[in-house]
């Protein structure tokens, strides 16, 4: 289940206010905090099993790990806050390509709210631009801020084995309405694309996550293919057409 707002650690709201101030917000603290509370509510929606406050906290933590590699760290932090702010659990049939995170709508929300909070228009636009780079999880060449944000979001792939197992279960729970065979096909497609990349991570420190991430992905792919074959063998009609 998503983390309920009442249970959200107090540092979330304070961190959002501090980051907005660092990025140039001129709105009052009460106004900034109200927007932060709205974002916390969004990340606390009950259908978020993985893309919840725990995930947001992890991404923010990894951004801090990589912050010295960024040009505008507060804008990267804001992009982390907004990157999955719009999430539609009812429209996840296109899991293999988009998933539940509505990246374009999240970017537009960032652009609108941050301008309303008094950030310079170019700063708000930059945050939205960074959020948009997560649509395909590919950093723009030579863009260190984009590299850090993308690496921070994909950092879960390099988790220790027990946390990675939890992540797999949480992702499946978010897509519970998709039939198992369809989910397996989509997940296999996603992992195969990731493993086909020359590199998963782009930032200098993020590169150290490459090996454990690939080990986790390869182990998951092996299990998924095995489960897909088991389902095909159990099907009265035989293997599903490809």
């Amino acid at each position: 289940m998503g983390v309920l707002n009442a249970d959200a650690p107090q540092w979330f709201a304070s961190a959002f206010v501090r980051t907005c101030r660092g990025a140039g917000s001129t709105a009052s603290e009460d106004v900034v905090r109200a927007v932060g509370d709205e974002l916390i509510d969004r990340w606390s929606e009950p259908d978020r099993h993985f893309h919840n406050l725990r995930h947001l906290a992890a991404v923010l933590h990894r951004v801090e790990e990589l912050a010295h590699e960024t040009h505008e760290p507060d804008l990267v932090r804001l992009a982390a806050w907004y990157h999955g702010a719009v999430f539609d659990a009812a429209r996840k049939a296109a899991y293999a390509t988009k998933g539940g995170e509505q990246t374009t709508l999240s970017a537009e929300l960032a652009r609108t709210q941050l301008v309303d909070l008094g950030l310079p228009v170019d700063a708000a636009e930059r945050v939205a631009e960074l959020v948009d780079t997560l649509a395909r999880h590919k950093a723009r060449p030579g863009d260190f801020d984009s590299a850090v944000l993308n690496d921070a979001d994909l950092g879960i792939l390099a988790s220790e084995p027990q946390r990675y197992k939890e992540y797999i279960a949480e992702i499946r729970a978010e897509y519970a309405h998709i039939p198992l065979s369809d989910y397996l096909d989509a997940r296999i497609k996603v992992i195969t694309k990731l493993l086909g990349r020359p590199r998963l991570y782009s930032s200098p420190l993020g590169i150290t996550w490459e090996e454990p991430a690939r080990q986790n992905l390869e182990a998951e792919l092996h299990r998924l293919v095995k489960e897909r074959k088991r389902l095909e063998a159990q099907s009265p009609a035989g293997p599903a057409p490809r």
Side-chain angles (χ1 to χ4, degrees):
M1 296 292 288
V3 183
L4 297 178
N5 189 9
D7 299 327
Q10 292 300 308
W11 67 263
F12 273 107
S14 298
F16 182 75
V17 172
R18 185 169 59 251
T19 300
C20 285
R21 285 285 181 257
S25 171
T26 59
S28 70
E29 181 171 336
D30 286 345
V31 171
V32 177
R33 189 172 290 269
V35 172
D37 287 343
E38 179 193 333
L39 288 172
I40 291 170
D41 285 341
R42 286 177 175 274
W43 284 99
S44 303
E45 292 165 350
D47 54 352
R48 291 173 177 257
H49 298 268
F50 170 70
H51 294 95
N52 52 26
L53 282 179
R54 183 185 187 185
H55 171 63
L56 173 59
V59 173
L60 288 169
H61 176 73
R62 287 190 286 265
V63 166
E64 292 306 313
E65 285 188 67
L66 306 172
H68 67 281
E69 299 176 6
T70 64
H71 293 303
E72 297 176 292
D74 282 316
L75 300 189
V76 179
R77 293 182 185 108
L78 285 174
W81 270 94
Y82 278 96
H83 83 278
V86 181
F87 185 90
D88 190 345
R91 299 179 63 250
K92 292 182 292 189
Y95 167 70
T97 55
K98 290 186 178 180
E101 289 180 303
Q102 305 293 300
T103 306
T104 300
L105 294 178
S106 294
E108 184 56 39
L109 179 69
R111 185 181 290 110
T112 300
Q113 288 191 337
L114 293 177
V115 168
D116 288 344
L117 290 180
L119 264 72
V121 173
D122 59 343
E125 186 62 38
R126 175 59 172 158
V127 173
E129 180 182 71
L130 288 170
V131 172
D132 269 332
T133 69
L134 291 178
R136 294 181 176 82
H137 282 104
K138 286 187 178 181
R140 295 181 176 179
D143 187 339
F144 289 102
D145 291 348
S146 173
V148 165
L149 181 63
N150 276 267
D151 285 3
D153 193 39
L154 288 179
I156 184 65
L157 302 180
S159 299
E160 56 89 22
Q162 184 56 42
R163 174 61 187 127
Y164 192 80
K165 288 180 181 178
E166 293 174 357
Y167 155 69
I168 292 173
E170 291 161 358
I171 289 293
R172 178 55 182 144
E174 285 188 342
Y175 298 93
H177 72 283
I178 298 178
L180 180 57
S181 60
D182 293 340
Y183 175 80
L184 291 173
D185 287 343
R187 185 71 181 168
I188 288 170
K189 181 179 179 181
V190 168
I191 295 177
T192 300
K193 284 184 176 180
L194 287 171
L195 287 172
R197 294 183 179 184
R199 283 169 49 181
L200 294 169
Y201 302 101
S202 304
S203 65
L205 183 58
I207 290 173
T208 64
W209 301 338
E210 189 80 24
E211 183 176 353
R214 287 189 177 274
Q215 289 175 349
N216 283 333
L217 288 169
E218 287 168 358
E220 184 186 0
L221 182 60
H222 176 76
R223 291 192 297 269
L224 291 170
V225 170
K226 186 176 180 180
E227 186 170 6
R228 189 70 180 86
K229 289 180 178 179
R230 179 183 61 79
L231 282 180
E232 290 178 349
Q234 292 176 347
S235 173
R242 296 288 183 176

